[in-house]
Amino acid sequence: MTKTHKKRPQAAQPLYEGAEWDFQTIDKTFRALEDIALNELKLDVYPIQIEVITSEQMLDAYSSIGMPLMYNHWSFGKSFIRDEIMYRKGFSGLAYEIVINSDPCICYIMEENSMTMQTLVMAHAAFGHNHFFKNNHLFKQWTDASAILDYLQFAKNYIAKCEERYGFKEVEKILDSAHALRDQGVDRYTRPTKLDDAKIWKRQMERLEYEEKQYNELWRTLPPAKKSKNGENNVMDSQLAQKLGIPESNLLYFLEKNSPVLERWQCEILRIVRSVAQYFYPQRQTKMMNEGCACYVHYTLMNQLYDKGLITEGAMLEFLDFHTRVVAQPDFDSKYFSGINPYALGFNMMMDIQRICENPTDEDRAWFPDIAGNNNAIETLKDAWANYRDESFILQFLSPHLMREMRLFNIHDDMGSPYIEVSHIHNQSGYRALREALSAQYSVANQDLDIQVSHVDMAGDRTLTLTHSMNNHIPLDKSSAEKVLAHMRRLWGYNVVLKSINPLTNEVVQEVRG
C-alpha cells in the first residue's frame, strides 16, 4: 500500500507521536498538509476553517443534513434521537468529519479522533472535498459557496419569526408538505446566472410585483367554476397554462408561484426548502466522484507525509487500517454487501486513471488513447474532477482492467420473469455493456421520478393534474403516492390527481387521487 520502493528520508522530528493532540499540533500538521496540497499537487481550494466539535455536536450536525444554522423542524430532532441511540448503543458510528461547501470551506473534526485521524480528516475534507467543491462544474453552476451561510442564517431567522407570528403548528404543516416534495423541488434544466446586488434587489422587487399580478389575474378575475360545453375554454386553458408555465417539473416552484391558497410567508418557506434542495442537487450527482477525489487526495497526502518522514510508521499503519476499511468493497454474496461502495469505486477509479497515465498496457492505449502514458496523472484527474459527473465519469473512464479487478457483472431483472439473468460479465464482449449499465445506475434521470404539472382545470373545480412518466415500467407505490399527494393538496388547496403513463404509448397505467 505504501511506496516502499523509495528510501524514506529521516525527518528531524515527526509532526506528532502517539494518539493525543492539541491545537498547536493540529495547526502544525495542517500547515504540512497545505504545503503538499497547494505546492506539489497544485490543488485549488477555498480558504479553510477547521472547527473541532464534540460527538454531541456532530450528532446535531448529522440531524440537520450536515448544515450549520439550519432552521428548526421536528424531523431534525427525530433524526438526532435516532442517531444518538444508535451511536450510544454501539450499533453505528459517527462520521469523522463533516465538510461544508462554503467560502471559507468549513471542516468539522471530532475531538474524540486520534491525531492520525485528525490528519487524515483534514487531508480528506479540507483539501480533497474542498478542491472538488470549488472546481466541479455542477457546483459552480448550481451553488454559491460564498452565500450559503448567509442564506441559511436568513432562512433560520425567517422561519423563527414565522413561528412566533403564525404558530409552530402552522409553520410545521408547511414545512412537512414542502419536505415531502423537496425531491421534486429542484430545477434540473435551467442554469441560474450569478447576479450582483443591484440585480438581486431588482429581481426581488419584480418578484413582489409578479406575485401581486398573479393573484389578481389568475384568481380574483376567474369566472365562476363551470364546465365547458363546446370546448371554448380550451383557448383560455391554453393561455393560462402558458402563463402558469405548464408543463413544470419543479413542483415546489409551481406551487410557490401559483398556489391559490398560500400566503406570502408560506410561499417564502417553499422557496427556502427548494433552495436548500437545489444546493444539494450537485452532491447527488457527484457522490462517487467526490468521495473518490477526497480518498485519492488523503491517500496521496498521507503517503507524502510518510515519505518525508513527517509521520511515524505507527501513524501510517493506523491510517492504512482505517483507509482500507473505508474503501473496502464486500462481495455480492457477503452479508455486508449493500451495493457498490462509492468510496471503493471512486478511489479505485482514481488510482486506475493514475495507473493508465503512468504505466499503461496495450489495452489501456486502445481504450484511452488521449491519456494513456501521458505521465501527468494529477492534471488528468483534476480535469476529470472539474468536468464530469458520476454518470459521465464512469462512461468515460471505467477501464476493462478495473472491471476485472472488481469482478463486475450485470444482472437483468425482468419483473415478468421468475428468474434474474446475468446478462454481462467482465470479458471482452461485456465491457461496454457493463460500463453503460453501471453508468445508468448513477443517472439522476433513472433515480428521480419524472413528474410534471400537466394541467390545471381553471374553468372547473381547479383540479391539479400531475403526470408521471414511468421509467422501466416501474409503477409508483400507491400508498406512498397517496401520502405525498395529501401534502400536494394541502399546498394547492384543491383536488390533485397523479396519472402514471407509459411514455411510449401515453396510456394511463395508474391513477392516484389526493
Side-chain angles (χ1 to χ4, degrees), residues 359-374:
N359 298 294
T361 63
D362 291 341
E363 181 184 57
D364 296 323
R365 294 185 189 281
W367 278 70
F368 307 100
D370 294 337
I371 64 171
N374 67 8

Side-chain angles (χ1 to χ4, degrees), residues 46 96 105 107 119 146 187 200 208 256 293 318 326 329 352 384 386 391 409 418 448-449 478 499:
Y46 291 122
Y96 296 96
C105 180
C107 178
T119 309
S146 62
D187 198 338
I200 290 174
L208 291 175
E256 174 197 328
C293 168
E318 182 185 350
V326 167
Q329 175 59 60
D352 193 49
E391 176 190 3
F409 58 91
D448 293 350
L449 297 176
K478 188 174 182 180
K499 296 180 180 180

Side-chain angles (χ1 to χ4, degrees), residues 232-243:
E232 291 178 352
N233 284 339
N234 288 342
V235 175
M236 185 183 78
D237 280 351
S238 177
Q239 292 174 342
L240 288 175
Q242 186 176 11
K243 182 176 286 293

Side-chain angles (χ1 to χ4, degrees), residues 59-70:
L59 281 165
D60 189 48
Y62 255 33
S63 62
S64 55
I65 56 176
M67 300 301 292
L69 305 171
M70 198 64 178

Side-chain angles (χ1 to χ4, degrees), residues 232-276:
E232 291 178 352
N233 284 339
N234 288 342
V235 175
M236 185 183 78
D237 280 351
S238 177
Q239 292 174 342
L240 288 175
Q242 186 176 11
K243 182 176 286 293
L244 294 172
I246 295 173
E248 174 59 61
S249 61
N250 189 332
L251 303 188
L252 286 182
Y253 176 81
F254 177 84
L255 292 166
E256 174 197 328
K257 299 298 183 187
N258 301 304
S259 172
V261 299
L262 293 182
E263 298 178 23
R264 281 181 53 188
W265 67 270
Q266 294 169 318
C267 292
E268 189 61 45
I269 289 178
L270 297 194
R271 177 190 296 276
I272 288 170
V273 172
R274 73 178 179 85
S275 296
V276 174

